[in-house]
Amino acid sequence: MQAAEVVGLADVTSAEEKACVESPTIVPWRERIEGSIARSRKVRGGNFVQIATVDHEGAPRCRTVVFRGFLKVAERGEAGEAMKFITDARSEKVSQAASTGGKCEVCWWFSKSSEQYRVAGTLEFVGPEKSGGEPGSASEELLAHRKQAWGNLSDNAREQFYWGGQPGAACGEAPPPDTLPPGGRDADGKVLPPPDTFFLVLLYPEQVKYLRLTDNFSQLDRKAAEGASGGEWSAVRVFP
């Protein structure tokens, strides 16, 4: 056998490391995801993401929620940008997140570009008198964002927050339809104030794992601890 035909483990490993180092330009995840969103804007369900929490017995729990945009939270400074969602205050994810300090992970798959983002971070729940799942007053800024999110919902979406049944309970426990304000509106057709069951959900990202299947490119972005580097992000290419 000729020397050129002999390929050892060291050669394979070296080739893999070389492929990892000779990578496309590193692009910060926040900049990259804007392009992914733009390319999938016309894809039905393109703004659906999966959010995972851990229940009180340590078992994973995952569900699909609607991504409703990024939000700059002024009171958190330059690093205070969050992914925005909504939920029912009675849903399991609220108590599950509260019991783990708000920790969760979101997985967002873009079918059009074959890209996946896994966003890990901390959740904050904004209700009428609660913030972060703990007793306390939400700021005026966050209450205003909650009110805006409520007004942006469709009539059908608003109605479900008036249902009397606990999420997951038998439907027979829900109130009769005539007790629900149609579309969450009053007799004059004006949108009612958000009920106590309506929570604005904010996810503050701390780590993002990116994967693109078209060329197996993978990147890991991490946010520095607050105060260490002002919450700045660093990024590096990693093996998928």
Side-chain angles (χ1 to χ4, degrees), residues 21-86:
V21 173
E22 294 179 351
S23 63
T25 303
I26 295 292
V27 177
W29 80 272
R30 186 62 182 82
E31 178 182 339
R32 188 186 296 277
I33 202 170
E34 286 292 346
S36 302
I37 293 172
R39 286 190 292 274
S40 298
R41 201 170 300 280
K42 295 183 179 180
V43 176
R44 183 176 177 82
N47 59 337
F48 292 175
V49 306
Q50 283 65 53
I51 185 169
T53 54
V54 177
D55 70 14
H56 303 289
E57 297 180 352
R61 294 289 178 257
C62 188
R63 75 287 289 167
T64 300
V65 296
V66 179
F67 170 71
R68 299 179 184 275
F70 287 98
L71 178 66
K72 280 283 189 181
V73 181
E75 64 187 44
R76 286 184 173 243
E78 290 295 324
E81 186 175 51
M83 299 176 73
K84 186 169 55 175
F85 312 96
I86 63 168

Side-chain angles (χ1 to χ4, degrees), residues 128-146:
E129 298 178 353
K130 290 185 177 181
S131 181
E134 298 294 336
S137 298
S139 69
E140 291 299 321
E141 177 192 8
L142 294 183
L143 289 175
H145 288 307
R146 173 177 177 262

Side-chain angles (χ1 to χ4, degrees), residues 8 51 77-78 109 146 159 168 171 176 190 230:
I51 185 169
E78 290 295 324
W109 169 251
R146 173 177 177 262
E159 282 186 8
C171 290
K190 294 181 180 180

Side-chain angles (χ1 to χ4, degrees), residues 17 43-44 79 109 113 136 147 154 163:
E17 292 177 346
V43 176
R44 183 176 177 82
W109 169 251
S113 51
K147 181 179 180 181
S154 67
W163 294 349

Side-chain angles (χ1 to χ4, degrees), residues 138-210:
S139 69
E140 291 299 321
E141 177 192 8
L142 294 183
L143 289 175
H145 288 307
R146 173 177 177 262
K147 181 179 180 181
Q148 182 181 42
W150 172 252
N152 289 340
L153 294 181
S154 67
D155 285 3
N156 285 338
R158 276 192 296 270
E159 282 186 8
Q160 66 182 314
F161 290 94
Y162 292 98
W163 294 349
Q166 183 78 12
C171 290
E173 298 180 14
D178 58 3
T179 66
L180 300 175
R185 298 174 182 272
D186 62 19
D188 296 324
K190 294 181 180 180
V191 175
L192 293 167
D196 291 352
T197 52
F198 178 74
F199 273 13
L200 172 66
V201 184
L202 302 177
L203 168 59
Y204 297 95
E206 298 165 4
Q207 175 177 293
V208 180
K209 178 71 179 295
Y210 170 77

